[in-house]
């Protein structure tokens, strides 16, 4: 006979999803790079991204917020007098049933009945005191007697459930033999802990204890330290619960506890256990307390479980905050997170951990000589590729079509091809390359249909017209207003996109980046990328133009291209004091001498034949008029893009200048 087996499918919860797609680092790298360019260190930027999360995953802040929300829900939902209320309910039931029995029993002596009724009538308001007073009462009603005995049984089970999770239900309807076994376990446990505290225990002592009482410990500890950790965590939670009660509730509970199982021996053993555990694990929180204001009463066992949940939530909150030195996401206890917030939250935490590890292992972040994390050259190239692609997309959308091919930046195609040489960046002539491979394969006596292998000698590239190489100076304003007006990151993204374009598509060109604030200086791309927002005042375009002029003169055979990004009129220029170094003179509004010095330096650039474009960020009338006049002096252009469109504007102007080096248009 054929046996048919049915299959059941559910959410995978055995750790990281084996079918999960590989981590996509592009979103993380873009976010980290944006924060780095805004002034964060790479380490801070990475932490910020992990806090925010991505488009499809929760970040640490969201997970931490859910942890805190659950904590608030627990405190607002519950109160701590559940056991006291249940004991009072059983006492009221016992007294009511006893009164009914006294009223029904016609054979009872009237004097005895009156005495009993008076005794029940005058019970103390305190449940604990009433239970103590009725400890020796001779119940006439079997129902009342059972209800009263249930109070003692309830207290015993609740006290045990506080220290040993699950005892309340396990001991329901327990026999005297069961209680005796529990008492023996407690004595043996305390003896073992006493011995361990003195350093006299052996592994055999633990094994013998577990062999005799192991069924009382579903956690299945592997050694005495695991046993102590489990018990101490719950015992400390029980102490915190006791401290969180009002003084009246605490006094009432302690008095009632003496009646547990009808004997004070249980309470004595539990107090001894608490003392042993506190001595062995003093690092647990034995003195904390919480403020509950809900309406759902908690018994001692359930309440202790809630306090354990609160402790877990606090630990998770600390882990998710990543505030400790050297913290990583591997510190987050994913099992606890799953237990408290569910599998989806655990999956998000695992994804964040994989992402953090992947970023560190990918080579996109590296430690400098000072030990700090930095964007690696690989990350800068990857980011430059992304920014250049974005700029090209914006350029295409703005012009309606791609009128300039970034991949064909070596010049106009002539229609012919030639053999590839080392250093060529022209596109392949695919048809001719494959034809060469087929011809060589046939000449070697092999059938191309059985396999075709392209060798370097087969490769031909599309020939292009010769073009003039360029010396490109990109001057970027780093004055205070650039950071204050939200133009800092777009400026950096623009520089990085242009740098990547020149480095990958115009390798014969020379690019110099110059930042100008109170002073100007040449910067490498990684220095500019990591540059924090400048807080000094001053727009020293004069100094920036001086550095550009020096750069152009260092490359006299290259076509000079000058690109200037600024959002303000010049407010500083250099003063020379004989043998002393130059000093920046600052004045706002712009001083006439500052404007005169800046214009004079621009004229020097113009005499070198530099094709000049100003990118104006801002609409101040003085800036508009000044840049328009500057552009007219050197037959240049003024482009006024939005900050987000700056990269596309600069790349577009650079490509225009490379495609039509002799084109001279007036200002826009």
């Amino acid at each position: 006979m054929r046996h048919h087996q049915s299959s059941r499918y559910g959410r995978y919860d055995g750790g990281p999803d084996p079918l999960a797609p590989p981590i996509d680092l592009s979103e993380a790298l873009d976010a980290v790079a944006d924060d780095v360019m805004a002034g964060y260190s790479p380490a801070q930027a990475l932490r910020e991204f992990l806090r925010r999360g991505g488009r499809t995953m929760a970040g640490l802040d969201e997970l931490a917020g859910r942890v805190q929300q659950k904590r608030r829900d627990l405190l607002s939902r519950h109160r701590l007098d559940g056991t006291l209320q249940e004991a009072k309910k059983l006492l009221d039931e016992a007294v009511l049933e006893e009164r009914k029995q006294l009223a029904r029993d016609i054979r009872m002596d009237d004097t005895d009945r009156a005495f009993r009724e008076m005794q029940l009538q005058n019970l103390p308001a305190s449940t604990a005191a009433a239970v103590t007073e009725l400890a020796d009462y001779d119940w006439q009603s079997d129902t009342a007697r059972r209800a009263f005995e249930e109070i003692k049984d309830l207290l015993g089970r609740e006290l045990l459930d506080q220290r040993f999770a699950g005892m309340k239900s396990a001991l329901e309807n327990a026999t005297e033999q069961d209680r005796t076994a529990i008492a023996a376990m407690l004595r043996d446990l305390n003896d073992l802990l006493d011995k361990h505290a003195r350093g006299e225990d052996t592994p055999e002592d633990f094994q013998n204890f577990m062999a005799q009482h192991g069924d009382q410990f579903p956690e299945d500890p592997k050694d005495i330290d695991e046993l102590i950790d489990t018990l101490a965590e719950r015992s400390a939670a029980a102490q915190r619960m006791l401290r969180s009660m009002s003084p009246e509730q605490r006094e009432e509970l302690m008095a009632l506890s003496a009646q547990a199982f009808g004997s004070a021996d249980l309470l004595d053993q539990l107090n001894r256990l608490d003392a042993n555990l506190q001595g062995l694990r003093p690092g647990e929180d034995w003195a904390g307390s919480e403020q509950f204001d809900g309406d759902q009463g908690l018994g001692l066992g359930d309440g202790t479980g809630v306090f354990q949940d609160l402790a877990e939530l606090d630990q998770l909150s600390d882990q998710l905050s990543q505030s400790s030195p050297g913290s990583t996401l591997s510190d987050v206890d994913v099992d606890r997170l799953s237990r408290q917030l569910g599998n989806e939250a655990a999956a998000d935490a695992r994804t964040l951990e994989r992402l953090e590890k992947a970023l560190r292992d990918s080579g996109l972040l590296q430690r400098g000589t000072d030990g700090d994390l930095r964007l690696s050259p690989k990350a800068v190239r990857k980011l430059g590729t992304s920014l250049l692609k974005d700029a090209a997309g914006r350029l295409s959308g703005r012009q309606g079509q791609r009128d300039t091919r970034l991949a064909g930046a070596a010049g106009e195609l002539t229609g012919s091809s030639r053999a590839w040489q080392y250093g060529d960046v022209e596109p392949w002539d695919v048809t001719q390359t494959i034809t060469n491979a087929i011809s060589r394969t046939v000449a070697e006596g092999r059938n191309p249909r059985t396999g075709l292998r392209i060798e370097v000698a087969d490769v031909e590239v599309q020939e292009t017209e010769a073009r003039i190489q360029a010396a490109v100076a990109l001057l970027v304003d780093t004055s205070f207003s650039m950071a204050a007006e939200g133009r800092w990151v777009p400026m950096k993204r623009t520089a990085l996109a242009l740098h990547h374009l020149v480095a990958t598509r115009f390798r014969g060109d020379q690019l110099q980046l110059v930042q100008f604030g109170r002073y100007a200086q040449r910067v490498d791309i990684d220095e500019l990328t990591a540059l924090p927002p400048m807080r000094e005042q001053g727009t020293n375009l004069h100094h920036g133009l001086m550095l550009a002029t020096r750069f152009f003169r260092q490359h006299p055979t290259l076509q000079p291209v000058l690109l200037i990004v600024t959002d303000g009129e010049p407010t500083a220029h250099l003063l020379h004091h004989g043998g002393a170094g130059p000093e920046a003179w600052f004045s706002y509004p712009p001083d006439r001498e500052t404007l005169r010095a800046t214009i004079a330096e621009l004229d020097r650039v113009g005499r070198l034949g530099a094709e000049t474009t100003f990118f104006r960020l801002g609409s101040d009338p003085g800036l508009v008029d000044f840049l328009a006049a500057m552009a007219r002096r050197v037959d240049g252009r003024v482009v006024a893009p939005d900050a987000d469109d700056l990269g596309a504007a600069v790349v577009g102007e650079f490509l225009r200048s490379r495609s039509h080096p002799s084109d001279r248009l007036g200002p826009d």
Side-chain angles (χ1 to χ4, degrees):
M1 296 180 62
R2 176 175 293 178
H3 295 279
H4 296 279
Q5 294 183 343
S6 61
S7 300
R8 298 178 64 188
Y9 298 89
R11 181 186 293 273
Y12 178 79
D13 60 359
D17 186 352
L19 301 179
I23 292 292
D24 180 9
L25 297 181
S26 57
E27 180 187 6
L29 178 61
D30 288 346
V32 168
D34 275 350
D35 284 342
V36 168
M37 289 190 287
Y40 288 89
S41 71
Q44 291 173 319
L46 175 57
R47 285 197 297 270
E48 286 302 311
F49 176 74
L50 295 175
R51 289 185 183 284
R52 293 192 301 266
R55 291 186 296 269
T56 60
M57 65 180 175
L60 293 175
D61 283 349
E62 181 178 339
L63 294 176
R66 289 161 63 183
V67 165
Q68 289 301 317
Q69 184 59 52
K70 181 170 183 181
R71 195 183 198 285
R72 289 191 294 269
D73 289 345
L74 289 175
L75 294 175
S76 64
R77 187 187 313 145
H78 299 295
R79 66 173 191 267
L80 302 180
D81 61 350
T83 297
L84 293 175
Q85 293 299 320
E86 194 169 353
K88 184 177 186 306
K89 179 180 176 182
L90 290 170
L91 177 64
D92 291 343
E93 180 183 342
V95 170
L96 178 60
E97 291 299 326
E98 181 70 4
R99 284 176 172 168
K100 290 179 180 179
Q101 180 63 32
L102 293 177
R104 288 194 301 266
D105 194 347
I106 59 176
R107 295 173 298 173
M108 179 176 290
D109 180 75
D110 289 343
T111 302
D112 186 26
R113 179 186 293 108
F115 177 77
R116 290 175 180 276
E117 288 178 346
M118 182 180 65
Q119 189 176 2
L120 296 176
Q121 181 67 32
N122 295 320
L123 286 174
S126 164
T127 302
V131 170
T132 300
E133 187 168 315
L134 293 173
D136 298 325
Y137 181 81
D138 180 19
W139 297 92
Q140 299 301 299
S141 166
D142 292 338
T143 303
R145 181 183 296 105
R146 285 193 297 270
F148 186 77
E149 292 298 326
E150 193 174 339
I151 295 175
K152 301 176 181 179
D153 183 71
L154 168 69
L155 292 169
R157 290 187 293 121
E158 287 279 19
L159 289 172
L160 286 169
D161 203 39
Q162 272 193 303
R163 278 73 173 185
F164 308 94
M167 278 288 191
K168 181 178 180 181
S169 57
L171 288 177
E172 194 170 3
N173 301 319
T175 64
E176 191 61 35
Q177 183 179 359
D178 295 329
R179 297 192 183 103
T180 301
I182 291 294
M185 182 273 289
L186 286 173
R187 284 192 298 271
D188 291 347
L189 176 58
N190 279 315
D191 291 344
L192 177 62
L193 296 181
D194 286 339
K195 200 172 182 179
H196 182 74
R198 297 192 301 269
E200 299 173 357
D201 65 316
T202 65
E204 289 75 17
D205 292 329
F206 172 76
Q207 292 167 6
N208 291 336
F209 174 81
M210 292 300 293
Q212 187 172 358
H213 305 294
D215 56 340
Q216 307 291 343
F217 300 92
E219 301 89 355
D220 191 25
K222 298 300 183 290
D223 54 39
I224 191 169
D225 285 318
E226 282 192 22
L227 175 64
I228 293 172
D229 288 340
T230 301
L231 293 174
E233 181 182 295
R234 192 159 178 91
S235 179
Q239 294 301 312
R240 293 195 299 275
M241 180 178 181
L242 190 64
R243 289 178 176 273
S244 300
M245 293 179 175
S246 67
E248 295 78 15
Q249 289 174 334
R250 191 159 51 244
E251 182 180 352
E252 185 88 350
L253 180 63
M254 296 307 296
L256 265 177
S257 298
Q259 301 294 326
F261 290 155
S263 168
D265 182 59
L266 174 63
L267 188 59
D268 291 340
Q269 288 294 337
L270 291 177
N271 288 337
R272 180 186 171 194
L273 176 62
D274 289 339
N276 277 328
L277 293 172
Q278 188 165 355
L280 292 168
R281 293 294 185 270
E284 292 284 346
D285 183 7
W286 298 90
S289 63
E290 299 288 351
Q291 184 66 45
F292 288 78
D293 55 5
D295 55 7
Q296 297 180 17
L298 286 171
L300 297 182
D302 291 340
T304 299
V306 168
F307 273 84
Q308 284 186 291
D309 284 341
L310 291 172
E312 279 198 352
L313 292 169
D314 288 341
Q315 291 170 356
L316 287 170
S317 182
D318 182 62
Q319 293 165 3
L320 292 169
S321 73
Q322 296 284 282
S323 57
S324 302
S327 296
T328 66
L329 287 180
S330 61
D331 299 329
V332 177
D333 191 325
V334 178
D335 291 335
R336 286 186 173 182
L337 190 65
S338 176
R339 187 161 54 245
Q340 295 296 337
L341 299 184
N343 291 332
E344 184 176 344
D348 284 336
R350 289 192 183 99
T351 301
L352 289 172
E353 181 184 357
R354 289 173 59 210
L355 181 61
E356 179 188 45
K357 186 176 186 301
L359 278 172
R360 294 181 184 275
D361 295 345
S362 65
L364 299 176
L365 299 176
Q366 64 182 25
R367 294 201 176 274
T369 56
D370 55 3
D372 291 336
L373 279 179
R374 293 181 179 176
L375 291 179
S376 69
K378 178 180 177 181
V380 173
R381 289 194 300 272
K382 187 177 179 66
L383 181 59
T385 301
S386 174
L387 294 176
L388 183 56
K389 182 178 179 181
D390 178 68
R394 289 177 178 270
L395 182 61
S396 173
R398 188 178 60 180
Q399 296 179 342
Q401 59 181 359
R402 289 283 299 275
D403 59 358
T404 304
R405 289 185 59 215
L406 299 185
E412 295 297 328
L413 298 176
T414 64
S416 60
S417 64
R418 59 176 176 81
W420 176 85
Q421 297 177 355
Y422 179 77
D424 283 341
V425 296
E426 289 83 0
W428 281 21
D429 186 327
V430 177
T431 302
Q432 189 59 47
T433 297
I434 295 177
T435 300
N436 292 344
I438 294 174
S439 299
R440 177 182 50 77
T441 302
V442 172
E444 292 172 353
R446 293 184 289 111
N447 186 350
R449 295 184 178 181
T450 62
L452 186 66
R453 181 182 180 87
I454 297 177
E455 297 184 356
V456 173
D458 302 325
V459 178
E460 292 200 16
V461 296
Q462 299 177 20
E463 197 170 53
T464 59
E465 296 176 351
R467 65 172 176 81
I468 299 175
Q469 295 178 330
V472 185
L474 175 63
L475 278 57
V476 292
D477 188 344
T478 56
S479 61
F480 173 75
S481 58
M482 288 287 287
E485 298 296 331
R487 297 160 183 159
W488 194 259
V489 173
M491 173 270 291
K492 287 187 175 185
R493 293 172 68 92
T494 297
L496 192 51
L498 181 61
H499 175 272
H500 188 73
L501 175 60
V502 172
T504 58
R505 309 300 187 190
F506 292 86
R507 296 180 182 178
D509 288 0
Q510 296 294 321
L511 173 65
Q512 178 171 277
L513 302 175
V514 176
Q515 66 172 75
F516 61 96
R518 178 70 67 98
Y519 291 89
Q521 63 176 350
R522 295 183 298 271
V523 290
D524 294 331
I525 188 60
D526 54 343
E527 293 176 319
L528 183 62
T529 301
L531 187 69
M534 308 293 284
R535 297 299 175 185
E536 64 178 6
Q537 291 181 320
T539 304
N540 197 337
L541 180 57
H542 170 241
H543 193 187
L545 289 170
M546 289 176 65
L547 296 180
T549 302
R550 187 179 308 165
F551 170 66
F552 292 147
R553 286 174 174 166
Q554 290 171 348
H555 302 280
T557 62
L558 304 184
Q559 168 65 35
V561 175
L562 177 62
L563 307 172
I564 302 171
V565 177
T566 185
D567 70 344
E569 298 176 73
T571 56
H573 70 284
L574 288 186
L575 296 176
H576 295 273
H577 302 285
E583 177 184 348
W585 167 266
F586 169 76
S587 174
Y588 183 84
D591 186 81
R592 291 181 62 85
E593 187 58 35
T594 297
L595 297 178
R596 186 179 297 112
T598 303
I599 292 171
E601 196 60 44
L602 179 69
D603 288 343
R604 293 188 183 94
V605 172
R607 287 193 291 272
L608 294 175
E611 182 164 357
T612 303
T613 305
F614 294 91
F615 298 90
R616 174 170 54 81
L617 300 177
S619 56
D620 178 73
L623 175 64
V624 172
D625 293 342
F626 174 76
L627 292 185
M630 293 278 280
R632 283 193 296 269
R633 291 185 72 90
V634 291
D635 197 16
R637 292 165 56 88
V638 176
V639 178
D642 294 333
D644 290 340
D645 202 34
L646 177 62
V650 171
V651 167
E653 286 300 306
F654 169 76
L655 292 173
R656 184 194 61 79
S657 71
R658 303 307 296 114
S659 300
H660 309 286
S662 61
D663 186 18
R664 287 289 188 269
L665 298 176
D668 289 353

